[in-house]
Amino acid sequence: MDLFDKFDELPGRYKRIVAQGRNPFGVEMEQITSPTQVVIEGKKTILAGSHNYLGLTFDEDCIEAGRTALAEQGTGTTGSRIANGTFRGHQKLEQKLGEILDLPTVIVFPTGYQANLGAIAGLAGSDDTILIDADCHACIYDGCKMSGATVVRFRHNSPEDLDRRLSRLGDENSNKLIITEGLFSMYGDTAPLKEIAEVKRNHSAYLYVDEAHSVGVYGARGRGLAEQHDVADDVDFVVGTFSKSLGSIGGFCASNHPKAEYLRYASRPYMFTASISPATIATVLKAAEHIAEKPELRERLWRNSEHLHSGLSELGYKLCSTVSPIISAEMPDQETAVRCWNSLLDKGVYVNLAIPPGTPKGECLLRASMSAAHTSEEIDQILEAYAAVKREVNKIRPDQ
Amino acid sequence: MICLQALPKRSIGIKRPVGFEHARQFAWYTGANLLEQFKQWTAPRPAAKFRGDMNSQKTDDPVFSKVCELLAPFNKDNVDLSDSTEITVDLEIDSVAVLDMIMDIEDTYDISIAMNQIAEIRTIGELVAAIHQLMGEK
């Protein structure tokens, strides 16, 4: 007997993958020279597999703000928000995000993962029912598990199915919390929020939207998909992250519920963890201002996404969604996916390899993500690499 | 990214030698890095598939038949299905696929099987019993 016996199948699964070249889940980026350029294996590589949607990781204002906070307030808070880790910056950031999202309560967490864990486990209890989109992120599943609530999955992006499953629950005297995402991270597709909001109203449920990938990307003011679909008033809880558009690390839960502040005293992942460092707070605060004040970043991101999406379509790759900054190409099988992924990296392009159980329906994907910081030339280089890979692997055909 | 659980909760039932024989096989202690450990791995003997107990099969139960029908696409090794077949272990179905199959069952019988309940279901027999119970409650 060994504690690790339960992982007996792990090496077998990874052996087939690493035998084709590298370990796709442990690529070391030796140097990070810009939001879109890194050095991997000593070679200049275009980064098309991060979530740096607005390219703010090297923004001069953000770096300067972080540097000042680091010098003035030190390296870390060394404490939790409720004990000794609430600095002026945390309050200012929550206020600023509240202004941007037009929501009175914002609670900041150390990561996006913890924001979902903390918000869901804080909001729902054993007498409540949560309905989640089947393709929701792992942290939403984990939050549901932690909450102890009754959890029902509804079919991905199907308001009809959600409606049916809510009706099936009958008149059970429990609160119902519907959870979905704005932009889904695997296919790059978006939730039909207008229709879901209607179902929510009909069943007097609460609506919780994880806008991790959509804040800064959708909506005239970058508030997210709910703003874009004009249903922000129907969303009771918005959760997001600082590690994508905002180029840093951390997460938040925002709400217009009058009692939302109670979460600060009910959410264990909020109470029992150290708060984010002053430098992190400062960079996020600056990046949040950019989201609100620089719509040109969003315009550039969408132009780039359109460029890569149309280019890959023309090459005959089967893409998983209409244009969005996440552009996933469906692969016929895992072996081809791993081979293409290795080949792209050989050609100086880093994308993400996505395989089950991280993907819906057991599919294998090559996932590229666009940034406002990509130049047109870089996107052409990415497309050239994809074209060469396609020639090598004649197995990928548009009819597949 | 769904990733309910990357691996089955339990091992497939192969008894490992006591001590660190297997550990040496994976070179945990030889300083090789993880990549090398994965490359050096050799497949263990295939686990003996549970062949089912004909006496416990309720072939006349339409719910049992329906569950077997929905499991068929995952049953690549043609394991005989019975009440005692463990869904994720004997059929090696990943946890996300099981949840997708449960949605089909919910729609077939117009019932709601909560995820918390699914977590406690291991065998086909337990799943069939849960469906009967939920149908009875309607």
Side-chain angles (χ1 to χ4, degrees):
Chain A
M1 286 280 282
D2 186 304
L3 266 176
F4 286 83
D5 278 353
K6 53 184 163 298
F7 301 122
D8 277 353
E9 285 117 72
L10 189 142
R13 282 186 55 187
Y14 285 91
K15 181 178 180 171
R16 277 181 296 145
I17 296 170
V18 299
Q20 288 180 255
R22 309 173 175 88
N23 175 8
F25 311 110
V27 174
E28 184 191 344
M29 297 179 189
E30 293 142 25
Q31 286 172 51
I32 297 88
T33 45
S34 83
T36 59
Q37 300 268 348
V38 290
V39 174
I40 295 173
E41 295 167 5
K43 203 172 72 187
K44 242 179 88 172
T45 303
I46 301 172
L47 199 52
S50 73
H51 300 298
N52 200 351
Y53 299 124
L54 301 181
L56 291 177
T57 50
F58 280 79
D59 180 84
E60 278 176 21
D61 297 337
C62 292
I63 290 176
E64 190 48 44
R67 195 179 277 138
T68 306
L70 188 61
E72 290 176 357
Q73 298 171 56
T75 51
T77 68
T78 72
S80 69
R81 288 293 299 275
I82 57 165
N84 40 25
T86 296
F87 288 11
R88 174 69 57 84
H90 296 89
Q91 313 273 32
K92 270 171 74 179
L93 178 59
E94 287 173 345
Q95 197 185 334
K96 182 77 202 170
L97 289 171
E99 284 166 20
I100 291 172
L101 297 165
D102 205 11
L103 290 169
T105 300
V106 177
I107 301 175
V108 164
F109 290 83
T111 67
Y113 177 95
Q114 262 173 291
N116 270 319
L117 205 62
I120 298 170
L123 285 169
S126 53
D127 294 334
D128 306 316
T129 304
I130 307 176
L131 292 107
I132 57 169
D133 184 288
D135 285 4
C136 275
H137 189 270
C139 62
I140 291 175
Y141 278 91
D142 292 351
C144 288
K145 201 170 173 182
M146 195 171 168
S147 74
T150 299
V151 183
V152 174
R153 289 166 96 220
F154 63 93
R155 289 186 199 276
H156 177 53
N157 277 351
S158 172
E160 300 79 23
D161 194 65
L162 171 63
D163 182 55
R164 196 160 49 236
R165 276 162 214 279
L166 274 162
S167 304
R168 219 174 257 160
L169 294 172
D171 307 322
E172 274 173 46
N173 204 11
S174 73
N175 293 302
K176 294 165 194 85
L177 178 67
I178 300 165
I179 303 182
T180 189
E181 297 182 17
L183 175 62
F184 284 87
S185 65
M186 278 296 149
Y187 284 172
D189 53 345
T190 53
L193 286 184
K194 223 177 186 111
E195 293 79 2
I196 287 176
E198 200 186 318
V199 175
K200 170 236 162 161
R201 286 194 299 272
N202 292 342
H203 289 272
S204 308
Y206 292 92
L207 179 56
Y208 176 119
V209 182
D210 177 357
E211 299 253 29
H213 290 268
S214 35
V215 164
V217 172
Y218 288 89
R221 286 158 60 203
R223 287 169 61 190
L225 194 73
E227 184 194 13
Q228 177 109 349
H229 288 194
D230 202 18
V231 290
D233 290 345
D234 284 302
V235 180
D236 302 284
F237 304 97
V238 181
V239 167
T241 179
F242 304 152
S243 61
K244 300 185 190 336
S245 288
L246 291 155
S248 187
I249 186 148
F252 69 87
C253 172
S255 178
N256 57 8
H257 194 290
K259 295 180 181 172
E261 287 280 339
Y262 286 19
L263 277 178
R264 292 191 201 271
Y265 305 96
S267 168
R268 297 170 63 86
Y270 173 83
M271 292 190 284
F272 299 106
T273 190
S275 59
I276 48 178
S277 75
T280 305
I281 288 281
T283 62
V284 176
L285 196 54
K286 192 48 85 178
E289 287 171 13
H290 284 341
I291 283 193
E293 292 158 14
K294 291 189 174 177
E296 63 269 24
L297 290 174
R298 257 186 306 288
E299 284 160 27
R300 217 178 300 151
L301 169 67
W302 280 96
R303 206 162 47 237
N304 287 346
S305 304
E306 179 73 48
H307 185 168
L308 187 69
H309 191 278
S310 61
L312 289 177
S313 289
E314 277 163 33
L315 287 172
Y317 281 94
K318 189 178 173 194
L319 304 180
C320 298
S321 67
T322 52
V323 183
S324 83
I326 298 172
I327 302 162
S328 288
E330 219 178 289
M331 294 282 114
D333 52 64
Q334 181 173 301
E335 197 195 334
T336 313
V338 176
R339 192 172 155 199
C340 292
W341 178 84
N342 272 297
S343 183
L344 279 175
L345 195 47
D346 290 340
K347 294 169 179 55
V349 174
Y350 181 83
V351 299
N352 293 124
L353 172 71
I355 56 169
T359 51
K361 299 182 204 77
E363 277 168 9
C364 294
L365 312 170
L366 281 185
R367 180 180 67 169
S369 309
M370 278 290 95
S371 170
H374 280 116
T375 62
S376 190
E377 294 72 36
E378 282 173 334
I379 299 169
D380 285 334
Q381 285 172 43
I382 296 169
L383 285 169
E384 273 167 39
Y386 268 92
V389 166
K390 187 130 200 314
R391 283 193 295 273
E392 285 169 23
V393 187
N394 53 14
K395 262 179 102 174
I396 312 163
R397 289 187 302 268
D399 54 301
Q400 269 184 317
Chain B
M1 191 176 285
I2 307 165
C3 262
L4 286 180
Q5 76 193 40
L7 293 152
K9 278 193 190 124
R10 280 153 283 135
S11 107
I12 48 176
I14 307 154
K15 282 274 172 277
R16 290 282 173 199
V18 180
F20 292 101
E21 293 306 313
H22 63 293
R24 273 198 287 278
Q25 182 196 353
F26 295 141
W28 294 118
Y29 301 106
T30 60
N33 66 25
L34 197 62
L35 193 65
E36 285 312 308
Q37 289 171 25
F38 288 159
K39 282 182 176 168
Q40 285 166 17
W41 183 82
T42 51
R45 243 168 344 102
K49 295 286 178 191
F50 182 75
R51 287 294 157 197
D53 174 5
M54 293 306 285
N55 296 327
S56 71
Q57 280 200 15
K58 286 184 273 178
T59 42
D60 53 337
D61 181 350
V63 174
F64 177 83
S65 308
K66 184 68 193 175
V67 169
C68 291
E69 182 194 318
L70 291 169
L71 283 170
F74 301 103
N75 190 3
K76 293 185 188 78
D77 297 339
N78 273 324
V79 178
D80 288 335
L81 301 180
S82 78
D83 275 353
S84 48
T85 307
E86 292 200 25
I87 299 167
T88 53
V89 180
D90 294 329
L91 301 179
E92 293 174 40
I93 304 179
D94 78 57
S95 49
V96 179
V98 170
L99 292 179
D100 288 345
M101 184 202 70
I102 295 285
M103 286 212 277
D104 290 333
I105 290 175
E106 289 178 315
D107 289 343
T108 305
Y109 297 108
D110 196 28
I111 52 172
S112 195
I113 312 178
M115 273 180 66
N116 336 35
Q117 199 175 350
I118 300 165
E120 288 162 16
I121 294 171
R122 287 170 53 185
T123 65
I124 291 181
E126 285 165 5
L127 177 57
V128 170
I131 296 168
H132 278 299
Q133 195 206 332
L134 288 163
M135 284 166 71
E137 284 172 8
K138 277 206 317 184

